[in-house]
Amino acid sequence: MPRFILVALLASTLAPAALASDGPDEKEPFFSVANDEDIGPYIVGPNGRAVYMFDTQTRGGDGLPPLESCGPRCREAWPPLVVAPVTTKNLSVSDGLDPNLAGSVTDGDKLVASYNGHPLFYFNREGESEGPSGHGIHTHGGWWIALAPNGNAIRTGTIPSETDY
């Protein structure tokens, strides 16, 4: 019995220190920048996957807000980047990104990461550190667009401009 107490006591004193030092938020920024030879620099999430805004307001869009437009079937292919618990200060950014543009928006009982006011989504067909293969896809009521480091949509190819209604 004394050996058990000693092991339990040792584990309880070491565990908080180990947990505090292993948190990913303390070592890696939440948002960082990757580069693609076709579209240039774009924003990636905490696991190196491209993040996308959902443009539902331009040509071919359904006119609904992105989180409203993307229903259950859409969210299977394009899951929102949910963060919890979160405050804006938790969404740290790497060099080249503006920390004032990083935030979150409410989606029901969840918080979804945002950048420059755009709720962000992943593309379920991309893995970690893969290029932005979801960029320029038109589906589920709008366009899926990668974001430039300044927070603006990267409008390439057939993606309509913001004034193209």
Side-chain angles (χ1 to χ4, degrees):
M1 189 68 120
R3 177 182 265 175
F4 172 76
I5 293 172
L6 180 60
V7 169
L9 181 60
L10 185 59
S12 68
T13 58
L14 293 178
L19 289 174
S21 64
D22 289 341
D25 292 341
E26 294 177 23
K27 295 179 184 177
E28 298 294 324
F30 192 87
F31 292 120
S32 53
V33 178
N35 196 41
D36 180 76
E37 65 182 51
D38 293 328
I39 68 169
Y42 63 97
I43 299 173
V44 296
N47 56 8
R49 289 175 65 190
V51 294
Y52 298 92
M53 65 169 282
F54 187 31
D55 183 358
T56 57
Q57 302 299 313
T58 55
R59 179 177 38 88
D62 62 13
L64 296 173
L67 289 167
E68 206 174 302
S69 182
C70 190
R73 285 190 57 210
C74 171
R75 289 175 186 227
E76 287 177 22
W78 300 92
L81 176 52
V82 175
V83 291
V86 68
T87 62
T88 302
K89 70 178 183 167
N90 292 123
L91 299 182
S92 59
V93 300
S94 67
D95 290 341
L97 295 173
D98 184 346
N100 296 314
L101 297 179
S104 61
V105 294
T106 303
D107 181 35
D109 61 346
K110 296 181 173 115
L111 291 174
V112 174
S114 66
Y115 196 80
N116 196 24
H118 303 290
L120 300 175
F121 301 80
Y122 285 130
F123 183 35
N124 74 351
R125 294 186 182 175
E126 289 175 355
E128 289 184 27
S129 302
E130 289 184 12
S133 61
H135 179 71
I137 292 177
H138 182 267
T139 187
H140 299 290
W143 294 89
W144 298 94
I145 306 172
L147 289 175
N150 65 5
N152 293 329
I154 301 172
R155 297 200 181 266
T156 60
T158 60
I159 299 171
S161 70
E162 290 180 86
T163 59
D164 187 10
Y165 291 93

